[in-house]
Amino acid sequence: MTKLTALVIKWVLIALALAGVLWVATQLAIAGNTMAVVVAGMVGIGILAVYGTRRNVPLKYLLPGMLLLIAFQLWPIIFTASLSLTNYGDGHLFSKEETVTDIIAQSVREVPDSPRYRMSVATKEGASATTGDLVLLLTKPDGTTLVGDTTGLQPLPAEGVEKTTAGKITKAPGYTILTAREVNARSKDLSALAVPTGDGGGIKPVGLSEAFEGKPSVTYDANADRLTDSSTTPPTVYEPKNARWVSTADPSVAFPQGWQENVGFSNFSRIFTDETLRAGFVKIFVWNVVFAVVSVLSTFLLGMLIALLFNDPRLKGKAIYRSLLILPYALPGFITALVWRGMFNQDYGLINGTLGLNVDWLGSPWGAKAAILITNLWLGFPYMFIVCTGALQSIPKDVREAAIIDGANAFRTLRSIIMPLLLVAVGPLLIASFAFNFNNFGLIYLLTKGGPFDGNDTSIGSSDLLITYAYRLAFSGSAPNYGFAAAVSVVIFIIVALMTIPAFRQTKALEEVN
């Protein structure tokens, strides 16, 4: 390859990278995220400065790793920590101003004798039909076409727009028209959609193909910071309280919409001061530590013992045995967990049927915990077996021969010679395995879903880990609380860090073995 060809390839790659950064910055600008646009611009300048010159040779290799570290490690941590200081959750997703706009739009009632629009439901081109933001494509009685969403109403250029004879839009550039089945699947989102108009009114859907324009029954007084609902007699006045609009006459009456705000460390204080949560948190934490420690020790000991057995040169057919033993590690974990769940069935499971038992493995607290540990042992020992096999094969034979000459028996050789040398290689992996099992969400969720639960209380399960508890807080229940779940996640991060950092420091002592 000539220097000119290499130079052309280099600048083509730089141009592609900058084009990608520009596209990302454009999307962020459309979303209104100014700070992220600035960061994207700095990344682009950094790429040009590092790869466009002959200087900074070490950075040419370090920059990709640094960017990936920031994007996939540091940023999620920072974002989760910032989220834990808010009340972000279902009903508290938007700003106060957006909440006021939404409440007013939802209170729109059809004005008598007002014209109706022909309506098509769509999403922006490229957006998911099941999760993308809904858009209303409207046709006025005079044939004028409009497009509306939660931000307002805009003219829709007639060029490229196709309509039926009744005026319903069937095609529009930049939008994907949803089918009747897709619209029905999102009926809840559609019923909650109201397009605000410039005169304080709004447009709401009626059925699947029509929309009406109406006036809101709720008004907002910015000076008094109050909402007034004139649809009741007498009118109901609402004031802001705990990030919701609450009736001044009856505090139990409030709008379902709330807004996101900073709550400081109240989510963290709730973890340790709320009696119910504190008791459940402590119980989960103790089981979490026991699960992680027992899982690491059991998988390591079993994997090491099998590796020691197969490290004996007198054993024949080791390749076949090793291939069979790594099968649990080769199979997808979620399939194995589901298979074991079926095997632990009290009535039809293989374990009870084979052993003649009647243990309610998944329905009792101790049975569920035992089932989890047994399943995790099956999933984890092949990894430890592979690691220990490699470490054992790296130990020089003359070291063991010298121990035998000195009169050491097999147990003393294992304890004083093999184990210290083995832990040099395996020690950091044991700590990493502890951190992984401390947050082993997949196994718990697939095997027990955190259960069994105590009566009707499904907030804390007998086999829950902290991570499954945080998941249930964030994504389950009638009012998911992402901010509180983020606080639990931050606590998990701190706990794992406090437990693993000293352990990693202790592994430095193992280096003296060499």
Side-chain angles (χ1 to χ4, degrees):
M1 182 183 294
T2 64
K3 290 184 178 181
L4 179 61
T5 303
L7 186 63
V8 170
I9 293 175
K10 183 185 80 170
W11 281 103
V12 167
L13 293 175
I14 292 174
L16 290 174
L18 293 177
V21 171
L22 178 62
W23 180 83
V24 170
T26 303
Q27 299 301 314
L28 293 171
I30 294 173
N33 198 331
T34 306
M35 182 58 67
V37 173
V38 174
V39 173
M42 294 175 63
V43 170
I45 294 173
I47 291 174
L48 186 61
V50 171
Y51 294 101
T53 64
R54 295 184 178 180
R55 302 176 181 179
N56 304 314
V57 174
L59 272 179
K60 296 180 190 298
Y61 299 95
L62 293 175
L63 185 60
M66 291 170 59
L67 292 177
L68 292 174
L69 174 67
I70 293 171
F72 296 109
Q73 294 290 337
L74 296 181
W75 169 243
I77 294 173
I78 294 171
F79 178 77
T80 303
S82 64
L83 198 64
S84 68
L85 303 177
T86 70
N87 65 338
Y88 186 65
D90 192 22
H92 297 278
L93 300 176
F94 307 107
S95 66
K96 185 178 180 181
E97 293 75 15
E98 291 173 315
T99 301
V100 170
T101 301
D102 183 61
I103 291 174
I104 294 174
Q106 293 300 323
S107 70
V108 170
R109 301 294 181 269
E110 186 172 9
V111 176
D113 302 324
S114 63
R116 289 202 171 191
Y117 299 83
R118 298 297 294 174
M119 178 191 74
S120 295
V121 183
T123 59
K124 290 185 179 180
E125 193 171 27
S128 170
T130 56
T131 60
D133 293 334
L134 295 181
V135 175
L136 301 184
L137 304 180
L138 306 168
T139 304
K140 297 176 68 174
D142 61 4
T144 305
T145 53
L146 304 167
V147 57
D149 55 20
T150 54
T151 62
L153 196 63
Q154 301 292 335
L156 179 65
E159 184 179 355
V161 174
E162 298 179 6
K163 297 184 288 186
T164 64
T165 54
K168 184 175 182 179
I169 297 174
T170 58
K171 183 179 180 181
Y175 299 94
T176 302
I177 310 293
L178 301 187
T179 64
R181 178 173 294 179
E182 291 171 334
V183 174
N184 277 324
R186 302 198 60 182
S187 58
K188 184 178 179 180
D189 296 332
L190 184 62
S191 64
L193 177 62
V195 179
T197 56
D199 58 355
I203 298 174
K204 286 185 69 67
V206 179
L208 301 181
S209 59
E210 281 191 332
F212 68 82
E213 184 171 356
K215 294 292 183 179
S217 62
V218 177
T219 57
Y220 176 60
D221 185 349
N223 294 325
D225 195 21
R226 289 189 171 187
L227 292 175
T228 303
D229 186 0
S230 59
S231 65
T232 62
T233 305
T236 305
V237 178
Y238 295 84
E239 63 181 0
K241 186 177 181 180
N242 296 328
R244 285 194 183 276
W245 291 102
V246 181
S247 170
T248 56
D250 184 0
S252 64
V253 177
F255 284 109
Q257 300 95 327
W259 59 88
Q260 181 182 346
E261 65 179 11
N262 194 304
V263 296
F265 292 96
S266 63
N267 287 325
F268 294 93
S269 64
R270 180 185 170 195
I271 295 174
F272 301 106
T273 58
D274 185 284
E275 190 62 34
T276 303
L277 291 175
R278 182 173 59 185
F281 191 90
V282 172
K283 181 179 72 172
I284 293 173
F285 172 72
V286 172
W287 157 240
N288 207 148
V289 174
V290 170
F291 166 72
V293 171
V294 173
S295 293
V296 172
L297 292 179
S298 61
T299 55
F300 170 67
L301 290 175
L302 181 58
M304 181 191 69
L305 291 175
I306 297 175
L308 285 170
L309 175 64
F310 287 172
N311 197 49
D312 192 328
R314 295 171 296 177
L315 184 65
K316 305 298 182 181
K318 290 186 287 186
I320 298 175
Y321 298 142
R322 284 171 176 166
S323 300
L324 293 175
L325 284 171
I326 64 172
L327 281 178
Y329 186 61
L331 292 173
F334 74 93
I335 293 178
T336 305
L338 292 175
V339 169
W340 275 93
R341 181 174 182 174
M343 292 168 61
F344 280 118
N345 185 281
Q346 182 180 7
D347 299 319
Y348 310 106
L350 180 65
I351 294 177
N352 279 354
T354 303
L355 301 178
L357 302 175
N358 189 31
V359 178
D360 187 6
W361 292 100
L362 304 180
S364 61
W366 290 105
K369 292 174 182 178
I372 289 170
L373 291 172
I374 293 171
T375 305
N376 206 34
L377 175 61
W378 172 262
L379 286 168
F381 87 86
Y383 169 72
M384 292 298 179
F385 165 66
I386 294 171
V387 171
C388 290
T389 297
L392 288 172
Q393 291 178 349
S394 66
I395 298 176
K397 292 182 179 180
D398 55 356
V399 174
R400 283 175 287 184
E401 291 173 354
I404 295 173
I405 293 173
D406 289 340
N409 57 27
F411 179 76
R412 182 59 186 270
T413 302
L414 174 64
R415 183 172 66 87
S416 302
I417 304 297
I418 296 178
M419 283 295 294
L421 293 173
L422 187 64
L423 289 175
V424 172
V426 179
L429 296 178
L430 295 178
I431 299 171
S433 179
F434 172 84
F436 169 78
N437 281 293
F438 201 89
N439 293 292
N440 197 341
F441 171 84
L443 175 65
I444 304 297
Y445 188 78
L446 290 171
L447 201 60
T448 65
K449 288 185 169 58
F453 298 94
D454 184 13
N456 295 325
D457 182 12
T458 59
S459 60
I460 298 175
S462 300
S463 62
D464 259 329
L465 301 183
L466 292 174
I467 190 65
T468 58
Y469 176 55
Y471 173 83
R472 191 176 297 110
L473 290 172
F475 301 107
S476 301
S478 58
N481 191 332
Y482 305 131
F484 185 62
V488 175
S489 299
V490 171
V491 172
I492 296 173
F493 175 80
I494 294 172
I495 290 172
V496 174
L498 291 176
M499 297 179 74
T500 55
I501 290 176
F504 272 118
R505 289 179 176 175
Q506 290 296 322
T507 58
K508 291 183 179 180
L510 297 174
E511 297 177 3
E512 299 178 1
V513 175
N514 289 329

